[in-house]
Each structure stands twice: as structure tokens, then as C-alpha cells.
Amino acid sequence: MSPRIVGNHIGGVNRPARSGRTLDNVAPATGAVVATIPDSSAEDVADAVAAAQSARDVWSGWTTAERADLCDAVADALEARLDELAVLESQDTGKPVSLARRIDIPRSIANFRFFAGAVRHSQTGAHEMADAINYTLRRPLGTVGLITPWNLPLYLLTWKTAPALATGNTVVAKPSEMTPQTAAALADIITEVGGPPGVFNVVHGLGPSAGQALVEHPSVAGISFTGGTQTGAIVGATASRRFAKLSLELGGKNATVVFADADLDEAVAGAARAGFTNQGQVCLCGSRLLVERPIYEDFVTKLAARVEGMVVGDPAGANTELGALISHAHRDKVEGYIQLAQQEGGTLLAGGSRPSLPSPFSGGAFLRPTLIGGLSPACRTATEEIFGPVVTVHPFDTEEEAIQIANGVRYGLAASVWTQDLKRAHRVSTALDTGMVWVNCWLKRDLRVPFGGVKDSGVGREGGAYSLSFYTQDKNVCIQL
Ligand code: TXE
């Protein structure tokens, strides 16, 4: 099959980069080129921003209810194409189709429905004085730039797009160059269901060229970025220089903390899910597993058996639990960490090698889920973000020690705590230096709650009212009575 040709979506029309240059989009499960995308430059970004700027008046002229209705229509259209979108997402990322059907696409639909409802019900304040009244107007920022990574492509793009559009902004999105297809589909859908031309634009291409140009563009009033911490530092510095509003959701090295009083089977299942969902490529994945010493051996034996039993392979397989990693280069990086772990004194408890798979997956970027013990919690393997199916496991003796290990990294995105002691759950949750804590669960999502991290995991919060606040600016009007 010849590769699909994906265009930039600018002013409601799909078109190539001005230079005509393209990039190959490779399916990591097979190595096949499935699409080509525009290799956009600053010129293409400028075109997209100009289209977004010229759509601002039209879009902010729609009533809130009209914009909410459009978001609902986008959700309906995504739902009608759920199967097709799940296949595209799997093709681009290598993830199991079943995962995309169960999580990525349904949550993308939910994002549009949720923010349609959120703006319908949003309120602003009034502050009375003896002789005056203040009221708050909430206005869109204008044109916002949304930069998204490859691990949850449509899920994260809709998480930003839905509130941005619902609050009246126009958008220029720059999806990851490795996962362009569902962003292109979203652009077509928004236009098909009646989004005015220029309200939602997509520019494909590389980070340092297309992404950087978007962050630098003086007419882009806000940037919401999800990606690696190193890139986030560049994006943050660039956007701050021109005082753009900024939200950064960056990396994690999240701890799963299991106390001896936890329900063992539930904790094993939870730790396995936290460690290896999406091949371990979720910023929220629990890649450091801390287990209280009395249950350590038992826990590790059970978990290793579960991990060894995970089905790796054909992303379309009904029983597949892990598909391919995002790319061969990324697998090399992850394998480099498995080697490093062994140099640092670690022992492989499960996985550690590539699975042997039949054609067409024999050349895919697959890796068996890997569990490593025997490492110091302070070593590089246990403190640097690997972003792959690799979990290190460490025993601890006291609650204080668990908290100290959990907090001993530069990241602070999320943690999960497994215990049946309610007081301990409260104490530990409070003491953990993270933006989010799950107790006896992992990745349970309510779209109203604040989402984001501390330390090197990012700046700002999105979700519910936090997103509405990020994508708007409040203006106070004071009237003398
Ligand atoms: O992400 P990048 P990459 C982590 C993970 C991974 C590492 C690198 O550890 O191994 O980051 O992954 C765009 N200006 N996470 O290289 O580079 C880029 O094109 C503007 C964690 O894929 O951060 C893409 O659209 N944009 C993470 C987006 O930024 C730039 C998810 C993210 O790419 C840019 C993914 C620039 N100068 C990786 N450079 C999470 N938190 O979920 C790149 N981009």
C-alpha cells in the first residue's frame, strides 16, 4: 500500500509544506512507511497563525452554547469513527489497537463532551463594595499553540484542544512528527462538523523547526506543551521571553509504594498496570516500585510471573498487552538503560530482551516488559526517566524511608500508594512531593481534577476549571454605584 499523504490543515484546507519537503511516518510495529507528512518550517507556522488570527473574531462571536454544541458534534464524529481512529493510533504508535479502542479514543471523545459541558456551566465572580461593584469578564487568550507528544497522541491533543476551543480560542497544533495521523483526522472532523476555517489548524513537522517557530511566534498568546523535560525547558525559556502564557506537562519517574498491609493481589495487578501500560510510555507510569520488606520476596515473585506472562506482539491481536515502542531509536535508548542497570549491579527479574515475533513484526521495535531488582534507589536507572517497559523494584523498611526514596528524584508528577491503613494513606499522600497521588488505584481519571506536576515534571495545572482558567484571561470591571 502506498503511504498516505498527510497535509497541514490551515484555514480549513489540507496542503503541503511551502517547501514541498516531507517526512516519513513509520509504523514502529513493522518498520513500514505508512504516511508522509509536511516537513513544515516557520513559513508554514506563520500561515497557520495568520489563519488562526483571522478566525478569532468569527469564533469569539459564536455564543458559548454554540461553541459547546460544536464540541459535542466533534465528540459525536470521533465516536462514529472510533474503530478507524484506534487503528490509526495503533499504526502510528505501535500500541495495541485494543488499548486505543478502550482508552485513547474514548477519552478523546470524553474530552470534547466534558469541556462542552464545562463551558456551559462555567461562572465568573462579582465582588460588591459599599459604593461599587466589581465583576469579572473571562476572555479567550486569542490564538494558542498546542504541542503534543507521541505517547497518547489524540488523547493529549483533545485534552488541550477541547478547552481551548470551547473557551473561544483559535488553535495552531503541532503534533509529534511520529504520530501525525489522528491529529490530521481531528482537523478534518472539526472542519466537517462546521468549525469555521482557521479555528483549528495543524502544522506537522519537527520540533526544532515547526515547534520552535510556533513557540516563538509573537501572535501566539499561550502555549500548552506536553513532552520531555529537556524540551520543556527550551519551550519554557522561549515562551517566557515574550510573556506567553505557559503550561508545561513534562516527564515523570513515578513511585508505586506498596506497604505490607496492602491487598497483595490488587497491588500486584496495580503495579503491573502502572508499570507497563502503553509499553511504559505514559508520563504517569509507575517505573519505580517500592515494596515494604516483609512482603518483598512474595510480591516480586508474583509480579515477575505476571510480567513474564504478558503478551507482547501484533498490536491488532485480541490478547496483546504490549505492542511496539514508539521507534527503533527509542527502543535503543531503553535497551541502553537495561544495560546500564546491569552495570549498576541490577538483576533482571523478568524480561530484558526482545521477543521473537513472526513477520511482519520481526523487525518491529518490540521489547519484553522488564523488571529489575538489586539496584540502589539513587542510581541512574532508578532516577532517570526511561519511558519504556522497564520497572525497578526496591525494598524499604519504614514509611519515612519509602517517602524519602519516592521524593529522591528530580521529577514530581504522580505516585500510587497501596495500603489498607487509612491514616497512613493520608500521611504518605501528603508527604509525597508530586502533583497527583492515587491510593489503591492508578490512573483513575476524573476530568475535573487538577492535573500536573511539581519539580521537573512541569508548571501549571490543567483539567476542569484549571483548563478553563489557563485558556482564558480574567478582566475585572469596577463600576462606581
Ligand atoms: O519528546 P519531545 P520526544 C519524554 C520521554 C522521552 C523524551 C523525548 O522521556 O524519551 O521525553 O521524547 C516537540 N520547540 N516524554 O523526543 O522532544 C516535538 O516535535 C517546540 C515524556 O518525543 O519533548 C513533539 O511534538 N516543540 C512525555 C513534542 O515537542 C518542540 C511524552 C514533544 O517532543 C521542540 C513524550 C522545540 N524546540 C516524551 N522540540 C510525557 N510527559 O508524557 C521538540 N518539540
Side-chain angles (χ1 to χ4, degrees):
M1 225 167 59
S2 55
R4 289 181 56 190
I5 298 173
V6 171
N8 287 332
H9 195 88
I10 299 179
V13 176
N14 292 323
R15 62 190 221 201
R18 276 182 182 244
S19 67
R21 284 197 311 266
T22 59
L23 299 166
D24 286 344
N25 174 31
V26 175
T30 59
V33 176
V34 290
T36 64
I37 61 167
D39 179 9
S40 305
S41 64
E43 279 183 308
D44 303 295
V45 171
D47 288 347
V49 174
Q53 287 285 94
S54 62
R56 276 179 62 185
D57 286 348
V58 173
W59 189 231
S60 58
W62 284 37
T63 63
T64 299
E66 287 167 340
R67 287 197 300 264
D69 287 348
L70 186 93
C71 288
D72 275 335
V74 174
D76 293 344
L78 289 170
E79 194 162 40
R81 290 170 64 176
L82 191 150
D83 288 328
E84 176 205 340
L85 291 166
V87 169
L88 289 177
E89 204 70 305
S90 167
Q91 199 173 50
D92 276 2
T93 57
K95 71 175 70 192
V97 177
S98 59
L99 181 70
R101 285 195 92 260
R102 199 174 67 247
I103 306 282
D104 294 74
I105 312 306
R107 291 200 182 180
S108 305
I109 297 163
N111 285 337
F112 272 97
R113 294 230 166 94
F114 173 82
F115 283 106
V119 289
R120 286 192 184 103
H121 296 278
S122 73
Q123 299 171 350
T124 58
H127 299 86
E128 289 181 63
M129 302 169 75
D131 57 350
I133 184 160
N134 297 274
Y135 62 87
T136 309
L137 294 174
R138 182 170 272 179
R139 291 288 178 261
L141 296 180
T143 293
V144 294
L146 310 180
I147 301 178
T148 45
W150 44 260
N151 57 336
L152 303 165
L154 190 64
Y155 181 172
L156 290 174
L157 180 59
T158 54
W159 173 243
K160 298 175 192 298
T161 300
L165 291 182
T167 50
N169 298 279
T170 61
V171 168
V172 178
K174 210 304 276 172
S176 168
E177 56 278 17
M178 288 183 272
T179 54
Q181 295 195 82
T182 51
L186 177 65
D188 288 339
I189 283 173
I190 291 175
T191 298
E192 278 159 27
V193 301
V199 162
F200 181 74
N201 307 277
V202 179
V203 180
H204 296 280
L206 299 172
S209 43
Q212 183 74 19
L214 182 58
V215 182
E216 283 174 359
H217 199 294
S219 302
V220 175
I223 295 285
S224 175
F225 170 87
T226 301
T229 292
Q230 253 182 319
T231 315
I234 299 171
V235 167
T238 310
S240 310
R241 268 200 298 276
R242 56 179 193 80
F243 308 110
K245 205 168 176 186
L246 189 60
S247 171
L248 298 174
E249 204 271 284
L250 311 176
K253 186 76 178 178
N254 312 295
T256 303
V257 187
V258 184
F259 288 95
D261 64 14
D263 179 310
L264 193 62
D265 290 337
E266 278 182 20
V268 167
R273 211 164 72 76
F276 301 106
T277 294
N278 206 39
Q279 299 72 243
Q281 302 167 135
V282 182
C283 52
L284 304 163
C285 273
S287 50
R288 292 183 297 150
L289 178 53
L290 317 182
V291 183
E292 201 170 3
R293 203 174 300 271
I295 59 161
Y296 183 82
E297 291 303 330
D298 203 11
F299 189 94
V300 168
T301 305
K302 286 192 161 164
L303 181 63
R306 167 79 187 97
V307 174
E308 279 295 347
M310 286 180 167
V311 182
V312 186
D314 179 0
N319 300 321
T320 301
E321 292 174 274
L322 276 82
L325 305 200
I326 185 63
S327 66
H328 292 78
H330 188 58
R331 182 180 60 180
D332 289 347
K333 176 184 146 186
V334 176
E335 285 179 332
Y337 273 105
I338 296 174
Q339 278 159 20
L340 175 68
Q342 287 161 291
Q343 288 158 19
E344 290 183 316
T347 312
L348 286 174
L349 304 170
S353 60
R354 300 176 184 183
S356 132
L357 296 171
S359 175
F361 306 111
S362 46
F366 292 89
L367 188 61
R368 291 164 63 213
T370 300
L371 189 63
I372 304 173
L375 286 168
S376 154
C379 73
R380 282 186 56 205
T381 313
T383 55
E384 295 180 11
E385 187 182 36
I386 300 173
F387 218 64
V390 178
V391 172
T392 62
V393 54
H394 313 267
F396 68 84
D397 290 300
T398 63
E399 191 177 303
E400 292 69 31
E401 189 193 1
I403 291 166
Q404 184 242 323
I405 297 173
N407 288 344
V409 293
R410 58 193 280 239
Y411 298 104
L413 191 56
S416 75
V417 179
W418 298 78
T419 176
Q420 302 202 48
D421 177 339
L422 187 60
K423 286 188 176 168
R424 170 181 277 153
H426 284 300
R427 260 194 325 268
V428 175
S429 301
T430 306
L432 287 170
D433 241 346
T434 60
M436 293 165 277
V437 181
W438 282 286
V439 176
N440 296 328
C441 59
W442 176 75
L443 198 39
K444 213 173 190 48
R445 288 285 290 126
D446 180 322
L447 300 184
R448 294 168 299 179
V449 307
F451 185 99
V454 300
K455 302 198 281 190
D456 287 8
S457 290
V459 178
R461 294 289 178 274
E462 295 191 32
Y466 302 87
S467 293
L468 300 186
S469 168
F470 175 73
Y471 290 106
T472 54
Q473 47 203 350
D474 287 345
K475 176 194 282 187
N476 189 65
V477 179
C478 177
I479 299 191
Q480 175 76 42
L481 296 177

